[in-house]
Amino acid sequence: MKKILLLLCFSLMSFWGAIAQTKISGKVTSKSDGEPLPGVNVVIKGTNKGVETDFDGQYTIEAKSGDILEFSFIGMETFSVTVGNNNIINVVLQEGNVLDEVVVTALGIKKEKKALTYSAQEVSGDELTKVKQTNPLNSLSGKSAGITVNRSSSGLGGTAKVVLRGNASTTNNDPLYVIDGIPMLNQGNGSNGAEPGTDIFGSQTGNRDGGDAMSLINPDDIESITVLKGSSASALYGSQGANGVILITTKKGKEGKLSVNVNSSITMDQVMSLPKLQSEYQSASVGNPIAENGRVSDPKSWGTNASGLSNDAEGFFNTGYTSINAVSLTAGNAKAQTYFSFANTLGSGVIPQNRLIRNSITLRETAKFLNDKIDVSASVNLSDQTIWNRPTNGLYSNPLTGVYLHPVGIDRNIYRDKFEYFDTSRNIYDQFASSFDENIQQNPYWLINRNPSFDKAQRVLTNLSVKYQISDNFSIQTRGSYDKTFFTFDKRQYAGTDPVNSGDNGRYILEKTENTQQYIDLIANYSKDFSDDISFIGLLGTSLTKFKIGDKLFLDSGRDGNGLNFPNVFTLANFQNTNNIAQSVANREVQSIFGSANIGYKKMLYLDVTGRTDWSSTLVNTNSTSFFYPSVGLTGIISEMFELPEVFNFAKLRVSYAEVGKDIPVYATVPLNSINSTNTGISNAPFAPIPGETLEPERQKSFEIGAEFRLLDNRLGVEFTYYNTRTLNQIFFIQAAPNPQGYTQNIVNAGEITNKGIELVIDGKPIVTDNFTWNSTLNFAQNENKVVSVHPSLQNGEAIITGRGVNGYEFSLIEGEDFGSIKARSLVRDENGVPVINSSGTLQSTDFTTVAHAQPDFTLGWNNTFRYKDFSFSFLIDGKFGGNVVSVTEAVNDKYGVSQATADARNTNGGQINVVDENGVASQITAQEYYNAIGGRDGMLGEYVYDATNVSLRELSIGYKLPIESEFFESIRLSLIANNLFFLYKDAPFDPNITASTGLGLQGVDIFNQPSTRSLGLNVNINF
């Protein structure tokens, strides 16, 4: 009988439980445009039970009457609704209320934005894909205050130089990139400006871009990017986050039926900002026979005036194209979700023979177990990219030198149609070129056909995260990742290439590099409201990161002698010697513990404290086996503390202080000997610490204060930040005193670099109606970047980063000046600005002095989106104001007499330049004498300084959502897109946003860089 009663009771309880638990479903949409919102968190308040909306904004959750459902989404107000008798609950979320907005912060942790004690700015994935670029980092320019993005001159698949709040280090100023809370590698296979000495001005194989890992990411996989600019924001990442952090949150599967998205774009690319070349004065070679090998009698263009000349450099360039096609699938139920994507990028560059193929596959699985107490997320990303004939910059092996310097009046088509001839004396084809003058000119068509290069990058990135919700307040989480990138560079220079740059029988370079990072962490999270007034969120964690960077095998047949035993046989067995074969690798390990605590009082006052200690393997043989860095911040919600005028919906003040560190270079305290270049002996290590001294980690101390306001029913937002950062214990290399070990340099700590500035973000909705909305965001940033001191032993308080060598350009860090001083010689002029000549009639020049600093005084980005019913229109204006840049291209063009400036000089004042001698007596010299003196790679580059200010229409998009009612198609949107359309203002003869180097040196200089391009195209976005 008891068993029967128990069974009956159990059945009744199950019956009433089934009645009590009801399936609630519905759809979540955005108030601004009515579009469904995927990824909205739907949680039963007071529990850890929840689901996410699927791709169509649909959700289903089991709840009982009286439960409160909370709907939260990044950038949206949190909405709560009580479950009643209705099983269908549709929700409309609106943007902008900072009181409820959630953002992703360090370690991938989501926090209420109102509680943050530092600046964190988010850019949505839609903003990144609205006008797609092959490198998603380029799409950040102008969309976040305090971030400066310069594009590489290498075109398709090129790297991006990203700096947050100015340069702070003498070693590396790249931010840390984090994907779903896990740090990732962004090293490439070398980068522009990486080689020392004269090679840094353009190595014999061209100053090439080695690529990076970020450019391999499929932009359609990105849900959002959060930029953590200050030390307080990035302190939990330790030494890796010393230069700021860019957090990337990727898309994941959603609960619901299978949804498919297809996003396809194609753009046509045309060159812009080409040098102005003259077609009035011909070369003295005109009328003289062209030699069998193509040589002309005079490679320069200082001949007579002639009519009917053509000097069209633009004809060398192609109309390029970039096609990016991506498909993604998402499906799942309440327990498991799947996200899969495939992206293919095809591109053809504006320089002939340059093309790109990239494929990327992503698979991400998320699942819940044990009554939703365990969350598991696993993902794998595979990328494969091949670039043929990636453009180089610099003076050597660069086709643009031959394009721009071609003798005026000599038909370019002769060298296009015949770039090689048969040399009967050698029984091989040789280069047909107008000149090898200064070893910087070759036939550009020879270079693109007989100096081919092959860049391949392959990447595998796997992530695994497991989170166990032990109780409503306490959880533990572990995450791990394996990140490996393979780079291959293959360069083949055929016999006939300029012998200064290649062996007589050609040159073969094969370089294979692997970069590996292994990461694992364990984090305990605890959150609790101790009362209605006191809340607490804390974490304690540990992590281990292992790096194996630059695991390189470098094989080069060399440029001395024959190089290869047999002409044009590109195989290792054909190397004449092994003098240019090398291997290298840099191993590093970092062990860390970290913690943070956020204490809230009455939801109006928040105290945030963090601390982290790193143990780095690079600190071996120093007095500092570890280094600790803390941060503390305080936020006050003024609108909760005081009764403010009705115009204010929200007001907040915040202040924070943080210290972060950076370990020292690999092997700095373990000097390594090497095999010498002739393989005949052991070479001493080039540097070591000073005997008796020890190296210390770099130290950065940062103070930040800010304010945030929301006004006019949340239609206007203002965020202001002031920061002041001091970076100490910089790394310098100085001349070593004579020593028995043979070190030529000592590595030392010294110096101080400061950054202080302001950031202002204003976002608003000037017009909001049922059919029409206008959203506008203004990003302003001003930064003052100073070199306070360097090592006292450095002459004149100057640390040379890019040495002048045989050139007229030098890049240094100089005490008391802005970061990055460009040095050059300039003309000596009298009080009236007239050039001065000496007694022999030669123009006088100054010594090398600072003539420019490339960093802008301030930056401005203005982003606007207009929506009218199913139409949308958006544009981005991107401006950088102040700073100066230098053009070696213009200087060399002037020396060769091909620039329009030299023609204008010959057309003025009878072709004479007014000068005075040392006694002030007026005289004249010819335009050719003038430009021979100031022009050229070794000329007076102080005469080629230009204002770097530029304002451009960076992005433009015009879209239309087709009014389709179909069970098959969810939505179809067509857009006309444009990138880098035109400049509203520019003084420099080239695009100052194009950088010759993504490293520290070679900044603010144009050395026959590939010109920038404007892109026009079409985008189609289809949801099934």
Side-chain angles (χ1 to χ4, degrees):
M1 187 68 181
K2 287 183 178 180
K3 290 183 178 179
I4 296 174
L5 288 173
L6 287 171
L7 182 62
L8 181 61
C9 290
F10 179 79
S11 300
L12 288 171
M13 289 173 63
S14 300
F15 175 75
W16 287 111
I19 292 177
Q21 291 290 330
T22 307
K23 280 192 175 181
I24 307 298
S25 61
K27 186 175 184 178
V28 183
T29 56
S30 169
K31 183 178 181 181
S32 62
D33 55 14
E35 293 289 325
L37 289 174
V40 175
N41 291 307
V42 184
V43 179
I44 299 175
K45 188 174 182 179
T47 74
N48 63 346
K49 184 177 180 180
V51 297
E52 286 189 349
T53 57
D54 63 17
F55 195 84
D56 299 316
Q58 303 280 356
Y59 75 95
T60 300
I61 189 171
E62 289 188 353
K64 62 180 183 294
S65 180
D67 282 345
I68 298 176
L69 299 183
E70 282 189 342
F71 297 78
S72 62
F73 189 66
I74 292 176
M76 297 285 187
E77 286 188 34
T78 298
F79 181 81
S80 298
V81 61
T82 302
V83 176
N85 296 325
N86 195 344
N87 294 343
I88 298 176
I89 300 177
N90 295 322
V91 172
V92 178
L93 296 184
Q94 64 181 16
E95 303 173 357
N97 192 340
V98 181
L99 285 171
D100 301 304
E101 192 173 337
V102 177
V103 295
V104 179
T105 63
L107 301 175
I109 300 168
K110 293 181 179 179
K111 290 184 177 180
E112 292 179 298
K113 186 172 183 181
K114 68 178 182 180
L116 297 184
T117 62
Y118 47 79
S119 173
Q121 194 168 355
E122 186 174 84
V123 179
S124 69
D126 290 340
E127 281 294 331
L128 300 174
T129 57
K130 189 181 296 180
V131 181
K132 284 187 185 178
Q133 299 193 52
T134 54
N135 190 333
L137 291 180
N138 290 328
S139 298
L140 289 176
S141 184
K143 296 176 182 176
S144 177
I147 182 171
T148 302
V149 181
N150 288 313
R151 303 184 304 281
S152 165
S153 65
S154 59
L156 289 172
T159 58
K161 182 177 177 63
V162 178
V163 176
L164 302 178
R165 291 185 175 175
N167 298 278
S169 176
T170 59
T171 55
N172 178 19
N173 290 288
D174 297 334
L176 172 68
Y177 297 92
V178 176
I179 295 182
D180 296 325
I182 299 177
M184 64 164 283
L185 276 176
N186 195 42
Q187 275 86 357
N189 186 24
S191 59
N192 291 346
E195 298 180 72
T198 56
D199 280 3
I200 205 168
F201 213 68
S203 70
Q204 285 77 20
T205 57
N207 197 8
R208 71 183 183 89
D209 178 355
D212 61 2
M214 270 303 300
S215 60
L216 301 178
I217 290 180
N218 173 17
D220 287 282
D221 285 342
I222 298 175
E223 184 78 37
S224 65
I225 288 181
T226 304
V227 183
L228 305 180
K229 291 164 283 191
S231 298
S232 297
S234 61
L236 277 177
Y237 283 110
S239 58
Q240 290 179 273
N243 298 321
V245 178
I246 293 180
L247 298 177
I248 300 168
T249 301
T250 62
K251 296 176 180 177
K252 58 183 179 179
K254 311 297 180 187
E255 181 183 349
K257 64 180 182 179
L258 175 67
S259 298
V260 180
N261 173 259
V262 176
N263 197 329
S264 180
S265 67
I266 184 168
T267 57
M268 310 305 292
D269 311 316
Q270 291 184 319
V271 294
M272 56 189 296
S273 299
L274 288 171
K276 294 181 180 179
L277 304 180
Q278 62 93 4
S279 55
E280 303 173 53
Y281 293 86
Q282 63 189 11
S283 168
S285 301
V286 176
N288 295 324
I290 296 175
E292 180 187 10
N293 60 5
R295 306 297 189 270
V296 296
S297 58
D298 186 355
K300 298 182 173 63
S301 299
W302 288 101
T304 58
N305 182 278
S307 60
L309 298 176
S310 175
N311 192 15
D312 178 25
E314 190 171 355
F316 170 78
F317 298 95
N318 289 336
T319 296
Y321 75 86
T322 303
S323 172
I324 304 177
N325 302 286
V327 58
S328 63
L329 298 84
T330 179
N333 53 35
K335 296 298 183 182
Q337 305 85 35
T338 299
Y339 174 84
F340 173 81
S341 73
F342 171 75
N344 169 260
T345 302
L346 300 174
S348 178
V350 293
I351 290 183
Q353 306 297 334
N354 170 222
R355 57 194 179 95
L356 173 147
I357 295 178
R358 179 193 299 158
N359 292 299
S360 176
I361 295 175
T362 298
L363 176 63
R364 185 174 183 183
E365 292 285 340
T366 51
K368 295 178 182 291
F369 302 95
L370 295 179
N371 295 322
D372 297 345
K373 287 184 175 293
I374 295 180
D375 282 317
V376 178
S377 175
S379 67
V380 59
N381 173 261
L382 303 175
S383 301
D384 183 281
Q385 173 182 278
T386 303
I387 300 177
W388 288 268
N389 297 308
R390 188 199 291 266
T392 63
N393 62 59
L395 298 173
Y396 300 112
S397 298
N398 183 349
L400 296 189
T401 57
V403 172
Y404 297 159
L405 303 180
H406 184 81
V408 180
I410 303 295
D411 189 357
R412 290 177 180 268
N413 294 333
I414 295 174
Y415 296 90
R416 180 197 64 190
D417 300 335
K418 182 182 179 181
F419 60 81
E420 60 186 0
Y421 74 101
F422 190 76
D423 184 351
T424 55
S425 64
R426 298 194 63 194
N427 200 34
I428 61 172
Y429 279 95
D430 203 339
Q431 181 175 177
F432 188 81
S434 64
S435 170
F436 281 171
D437 198 38
E438 296 187 87
N439 305 114
I440 64 173
Q441 276 202 78
Q442 296 187 66
N443 186 332
Y445 297 98
W446 167 273
L447 289 175
I448 62 177
N449 288 286
R450 293 294 180 259
N451 273 214
S453 68
F454 172 89
D455 284 85
K456 193 170 189 66
Q458 297 170 302
R459 182 175 188 235
V460 55
L461 172 62
T462 60
N463 289 334
L464 175 65
S465 172
V466 180
K467 182 179 181 181
Y468 180 36
Q469 193 74 38
I470 298 174
S471 69
D472 290 343
N473 305 117
F474 182 66
S475 68
I476 58 173
Q477 180 180 23
T478 183
R479 300 176 300 187
S481 74
Y482 181 80
D483 188 352
K484 192 173 187 70
T485 314
F486 304 86
F487 294 94
T488 299
F489 174 67
D490 185 299
K491 178 80 172 181
R492 307 180 180 202
Q493 296 181 317
Y494 281 66
T497 299
D498 185 348
V500 169
N501 303 324
S502 175
D504 293 339
N505 286 336
R507 185 178 185 182
Y508 181 37
I509 298 173
L510 178 62
E511 185 177 343
K512 289 181 175 289
T513 305
E514 296 179 10
N515 295 327
T516 308
Q517 176 184 278
Q518 300 172 74
Y519 175 88
I520 188 169
D521 65 23
L522 178 65
I523 303 174
N525 296 278
Y526 182 80
S527 61
K528 185 176 178 62
D529 291 339
F530 292 104
S531 67
D532 291 339
D533 293 339
I534 305 296
S535 63
F536 175 83
I537 300 175
L539 69 83
L540 185 65
T542 181
S543 68
L544 170 66
T545 312
K546 289 186 176 182
F547 304 90
K548 193 174 186 180
I549 306 299
D551 188 1
K552 180 184 299 184
L553 176 64
F554 180 77
L555 308 169
D556 183 2
S557 64
R559 59 192 180 97
D560 299 322
N562 288 330
L564 299 171
N565 291 313
F566 304 100
N568 305 331
V569 179
F570 300 104
T571 178
L572 304 184
N574 196 33
F575 278 30
Q576 187 180 46
N577 59 59
T578 60
N579 290 348
N580 298 285
I581 294 178
Q583 286 181 280
S584 62
V585 66
N587 293 300
R588 185 164 66 98
E589 181 176 313
V590 179
Q591 303 171 3
S592 310
I593 58 171
F594 49 84
S596 74
N598 183 279
I599 302 171
Y601 176 69
K602 290 188 175 181
K603 296 184 178 181
M604 66 174 66
L605 199 63
Y606 296 90
L607 175 67
D608 197 34
V609 180
T610 73
R612 177 168 174 138
T613 297
D614 281 352
W615 288 264
S616 174
S617 62
T618 66
L619 296 177
V620 65
N621 297 331
T622 71
N623 294 334
S624 306
T625 57
S626 66
F627 44 113
F628 171 76
Y629 22 84
S631 78
V632 59
L634 185 66
T635 287
I637 312 300
I638 306 302
S639 52
E640 293 291 318
M641 297 178 181
F642 306 101
E643 187 73 27
L644 298 179
E646 289 187 5
V647 69
F648 289 95
N649 303 103
F650 174 81
K652 161 185 167 180
L653 294 177
R654 53 180 168 79
V655 61
S656 64
Y657 174 83
E659 294 188 17
V660 294
K662 185 188 297 182
D663 52 5
I664 61 180
V666 176
Y667 307 139
T669 61
V670 187
L672 298 179
N673 296 335
S674 61
I675 304 294
N676 63 24
S677 60
T678 58
N679 301 324
T680 58
I682 303 293
S683 293
N684 293 324
F687 64 85
I690 295 176
E693 293 189 8
T694 185
L695 292 176
E696 298 179 11
E698 188 178 285
R699 197 80 177 176
Q700 185 180 108
K701 302 179 179 182
S702 177
F703 171 78
E704 179 178 321
I705 188 170
E708 299 176 33
F709 303 96
R710 303 296 298 181
L711 305 93
L712 303 174
D713 293 329
N714 291 312
R715 288 177 58 178
L716 176 64
V718 180
E719 180 175 352
F720 174 83
T721 302
Y722 168 82
Y723 60 88
N724 191 324
T725 301
R726 298 170 59 233
T727 309
L728 311 169
N729 292 339
Q730 301 280 350
I731 294 294
F732 288 97
F733 292 87
I734 64 173
Q735 177 102 24
N739 59 86
Q741 292 82 14
Y743 304 137
T744 57
Q745 288 184 313
N746 288 132
I747 181 171
V748 295
N749 287 121
E752 178 183 344
I753 295 173
T754 62
N755 283 276
K756 58 182 178 180
I758 60 173
E759 295 166 355
L760 179 65
V761 180
I762 302 174
D763 64 273
K765 301 175 184 177
I767 301 176
V768 179
T769 67
D770 291 339
N771 293 324
F772 182 77
T773 60
W774 172 21
N775 293 327
S776 184
T777 302
L778 185 71
N779 294 295
F780 171 88
Q782 178 269 332
N783 181 66
E784 184 179 319
N785 195 179
K786 291 287 187 182
V787 179
V788 178
S789 63
V790 297
H791 195 273
S793 70
L794 292 172
Q795 187 175 0
N796 300 321
E798 175 183 6
I800 298 174
I801 306 299
T802 304
R804 69 189 70 164
V806 298
N807 305 296
Y809 166 96
E810 190 166 81
F811 186 80
S812 300
L813 303 181
I814 302 176
E815 284 187 359
E817 296 191 6
D818 289 349
F819 187 98
S821 299
I822 299 174
K823 297 180 67 178
R825 295 181 300 125
S826 302
L827 281 170
V828 174
R829 300 176 183 270
D830 68 4
E831 62 274 10
N832 297 315
V834 180
V836 178
I837 58 174
N838 59 24
S839 57
S840 61
T842 303
L843 284 167
Q844 292 188 1
S845 72
T846 65
D847 291 330
F848 271 78
T849 58
T850 300
V851 296
H853 294 93
Q855 295 186 86
D857 297 329
F858 64 92
T859 59
L860 192 67
W862 187 30
N863 202 4
N864 292 270
T865 299
F866 302 86
R867 288 190 176 90
Y868 176 71
K869 293 185 177 180
D870 292 327
F871 291 90
S872 65
F873 170 68
S874 64
F875 67 89
L876 170 67
I877 293 178
D878 187 15
K880 296 182 176 69
F881 300 83
N884 297 100
V885 288
V886 172
S887 177
V888 176
T889 306
E890 292 294 317
V892 177
N893 287 351
D894 280 357
K895 184 172 184 177
Y896 277 74
V898 298
S899 66
Q900 185 58 47
T902 62
D904 293 341
R906 282 175 274 188
N907 293 333
T908 306
N909 199 27
Q912 299 293 309
I913 305 296
N914 294 328
V915 296
V916 295
D917 65 16
E918 295 167 304
N919 298 317
V921 177
S923 181
Q924 290 183 329
I925 59 174
T926 66
Q928 183 175 1
E929 291 174 318
Y930 177 80
Y931 285 109
N932 273 336
I934 70 167
R937 64 185 294 178
D938 58 348
M940 305 180 198
L941 296 184
E943 303 300 313
Y944 296 91
V945 176
Y946 306 91
D947 182 6
T949 298
N950 67 97
V951 182
S952 66
L953 181 58
R954 182 69 65 203
E955 291 182 3
L956 179 72
S957 174
I958 303 173
Y960 176 63
K961 181 182 177 182
L962 300 180
I964 293 179
E965 294 184 5
S966 168
E967 293 184 359
F968 185 69
F969 292 104
E970 179 74 23
S971 65
I972 300 177
R973 177 172 290 276
L974 304 177
S975 301
L976 295 173
I977 57 176
N979 180 262
N980 207 33
L981 201 55
F982 55 81
F983 285 97
L984 299 170
Y985 175 83
K986 179 174 71 72
D987 174 65
F990 61 96
D991 185 349
N993 302 298
I994 300 293
T995 180
S997 166
T998 53
L1000 184 61
L1002 274 184
Q1003 297 303 302
V1005 61
D1006 168 40
I1007 315 170
F1008 290 89
N1009 297 350
Q1010 176 183 295
S1012 59
T1013 58
R1014 67 166 55 92
S1015 304
L1016 296 166
L1018 176 68
N1019 176 262
V1020 180
N1021 192 314
I1022 305 174
N1023 289 314
F1024 297 92

